[in-house]
Amino acid sequence: MNFTRNIIITGGAGFIGSHVVRLFVNKYPEYRIINLDKLTYAGNLANLKDVENKENYVFAKADICDFETVKGLIAKYNVDGIIHLAAESHVDRSIKDPFTFARTNVIGTLTLLQAAKEYWESLPEGYENKRFYHISTDEVYGALELTNPEGIESPFTTKASSEHHHAYGTKFFTEETKYNPHSPYSASKASSDHFVRAFHDTYGMPTIVTNCSNNYGPYQFPEKLIPLFINNIRHKKPLPVYGKGENVRDWLYVEDHARAIDLIFHKGKIADTYNIGGFNEWKNIDIIKVVIRTVDRLLERKEEEDMNLITYVTDRKGHDMRYAIDSRKLQRELGWEPSLQFEEGIEKTVRWYLDNQEWMDNVTSGDYMKYYENMYGKA
């Protein structure tokens, strides 16, 4: 079959990446989608069982830091688009092991950029109809002050606005906000963002960067707050809450992020930046209480039966107080906005994890890693 586009999606076996791969494979049968993933602990091909046999899907196990392999894949499939999601992303892990984050997030991104540059510049048409799309985080902007501890009505309105539509401050991250990363994770992502923009400014590579808020939804690795707590509630395990649980995050349902990536990849302006957010700020302690109520209701337990599982623990080092994204530029220029109210998204998310206990057990036990090591070798 002759495909009209050949697109590498890095980190496609991960949480957000698998949703993007699924969307592109199903929506664009005329595109060949190459899922490039190293299959570290956060990568799981079970996330893509429903598309693994599709004619336009290819899996390539590779390390994004392996220049020759990456360049070979780009040439083999005549790749004209790269959507770069592969990253180490857990702040706690970055505090313990910053070197791994620098290697994957900085050197890995640079490797992809240089490999794409060399291949695309070797073609008669050069950079024409090519695109390098780098997905980043709102954490590169640093932290915002918590100036409205009880929350006020948000200045943003969307179809997905819910009763909780609060803001906990008057300032928001925009595309013009200066970078001010505070953790090894956010520092590594900030560096990778700078490399992507530098390749446009220096070589003319057609690049785009997006910075997104916290994602939640199916297939998220259960070291992250929402799936971890759903699983702990199910098994009556403690729910460790940093500090007083007052830290505020902006939450976005993962499929809404995938829709935004699709739109920006096709219609975003080259060399531009877009912030992607849920217009949806929550204190950690409040989101935890919503998760508890939802799990208890779906498991037919007594209302708020598991509130006593909340356990306050010593705060994380350098724990940023508030992130909040202003994504009105994306709304205004490309017409995107979140589709789900948060309560609706949490309901879908909790139900998915409760219905997919086998997936959760395979991940938490590490059995999925043994399977991939036998099949592909160690990551």
Side-chain angles (χ1 to χ4, degrees):
M1 179 175 174
N2 289 323
F3 296 102
T4 59
R5 297 207 71 160
N6 296 288
I7 300 167
I8 282 179
I9 298 177
T10 70
F15 167 45
I16 300 171
S18 63
H19 285 276
V20 177
V21 167
R22 178 179 297 102
L23 175 64
F24 272 68
V25 167
N26 288 328
K27 185 175 179 180
Y28 303 106
E30 70 276 19
Y31 292 2
R32 176 162 47 196
I33 304 302
I34 303 101
N35 172 11
L36 191 167
D37 200 293
K38 188 182 178 183
L39 295 181
T40 63
Y41 77 94
N44 188 350
L45 291 177
N47 298 356
L48 292 165
K49 280 283 184 191
D50 53 328
V51 300
E52 65 183 5
N53 295 319
K54 297 262 184 158
E55 189 179 357
N56 64 329
Y57 171 76
V58 176
F59 173 67
K61 184 180 185 295
D63 182 347
I64 57 171
C65 297
D66 182 342
F67 180 79
E68 294 303 327
T69 298
V70 169
K71 189 176 177 184
L73 282 169
I74 293 171
K76 176 181 177 181
Y77 292 109
N78 190 25
V79 168
D80 52 55
I82 294 173
I83 300 175
H84 177 34
L85 288 129
E88 294 284 347
S89 67
H90 194 49
V91 175
D92 288 350
R93 287 178 183 261
S94 81
I95 293 169
K96 293 174 182 172
D97 179 17
F99 283 104
T100 294
F101 281 68
R103 180 183 184 275
T104 299
N105 297 352
V106 184
I107 300 301
T109 301
L110 178 56
T111 300
L112 287 163
L113 286 163
Q114 183 68 13
K117 171 190 173 292
E118 290 188 10
Y119 178 67
W120 289 343
E121 286 186 348
S122 74
L123 302 174
E125 72 275 18
Y127 288 130
E128 188 180 347
N129 297 321
K130 308 297 189 296
R131 186 155 292 201
F132 189 106
Y133 177 1
H134 175 64
I135 285 83
S136 190
T137 173
D138 57 356
E139 297 190 37
V140 297
Y141 297 126
L144 296 165
E145 288 186 21
L146 186 68
T147 54
N148 303 312
E150 301 308 313
I152 58 171
E153 187 173 344
S154 172
F156 310 128
T157 56
T158 74
K159 286 182 287 188
S161 296
S162 68
E163 291 178 6
H164 175 85
H165 208 49
H166 290 164
Y168 290 90
T170 54
K171 293 184 179 178
F172 302 86
F173 296 140
T174 71
E175 289 79 2
E176 283 74 45
T177 300
K178 288 184 178 179
Y179 276 29
N180 187 25
H182 293 153
S183 70
Y185 162 59
S186 55
S188 68
K189 290 298 288 185
S191 177
S192 66
D193 295 4
H194 290 321
F195 268 109
V196 173
R197 294 190 179 103
F199 265 65
H200 170 268
D201 295 349
T202 304
Y203 308 111
M205 181 182 281
T207 62
I208 293 179
V209 175
T210 56
N211 300 85
C212 191
S213 61
N214 281 29
N215 281 216
Y216 71 98
Y219 299 109
Q220 188 169 27
F221 191 79
E223 66 183 356
K224 298 298 179 85
L225 188 147
I226 289 176
L228 173 68
F229 280 27
I230 292 170
N231 200 43
N232 282 12
I233 295 164
R234 180 174 195 143
H235 295 291
K236 297 281 188 179
K237 292 181 178 179
L239 307 177
V241 180
Y242 282 129
K244 297 179 181 178
E246 298 287 312
N247 302 71
V248 172
R249 298 294 181 261
D250 175 25
W251 292 87
L252 178 66
Y253 190 65
V254 64
E255 290 180 5
D256 281 335
H257 189 189
R259 283 194 306 107
I261 289 170
D262 174 24
L263 186 64
I264 293 163
F265 179 78
H266 288 96
K267 296 185 178 178
K269 186 178 169 188
I270 293 297
D272 216 341
T273 299
Y274 298 91
N275 279 351
I276 309 171
F279 301 107
N280 183 41
E281 291 183 57
W282 284 79
K283 287 184 185 178
N284 284 347
I285 191 63
D286 291 336
I287 205 172
I288 289 160
K289 289 175 181 177
V290 170
V291 172
I292 292 170
R293 291 188 190 105
T294 308
V295 174
D296 283 349
R297 176 168 49 78
L298 292 177
L299 290 179
E300 298 182 350
R301 293 177 179 173
K302 291 178 186 174
E303 188 175 349
E304 300 194 352
E305 176 180 328
D306 292 311
M307 288 292 176
N308 63 349
L309 296 175
I310 293 173
T311 307
Y312 294 96
V313 299
T314 304
D315 207 354
R316 169 194 284 160
K317 293 177 181 177
H319 198 181
D320 291 339
M321 181 52 71
R322 174 175 173 254
Y323 303 143
I325 272 188
D326 179 349
S327 53
R328 286 178 295 179
K329 174 181 173 180
L330 179 57
Q331 191 177 29
R332 182 176 65 249
E333 293 187 8
L334 297 181
W336 175 91
E337 62 178 39
S339 68
L340 288 181
Q341 292 186 10
F342 183 71
E343 292 81 357
E344 185 184 356
I346 280 291
E347 180 88 12
K348 287 179 71 169
T349 300
V350 171
R351 197 176 290 278
W352 187 88
Y353 285 104
L354 295 180
D355 288 347
N356 287 273
Q357 190 61 37
E358 184 181 353
W359 180 92
M360 179 66 83
D361 290 344
N362 276 334
V363 172
T364 53
S365 69
D367 287 349
Y368 74 111
M369 289 287 290
K370 295 170 194 165
Y371 174 78
Y372 297 135
E373 283 173 10
N374 289 336
M375 184 177 291
Y376 297 107
K378 287 199 172 185

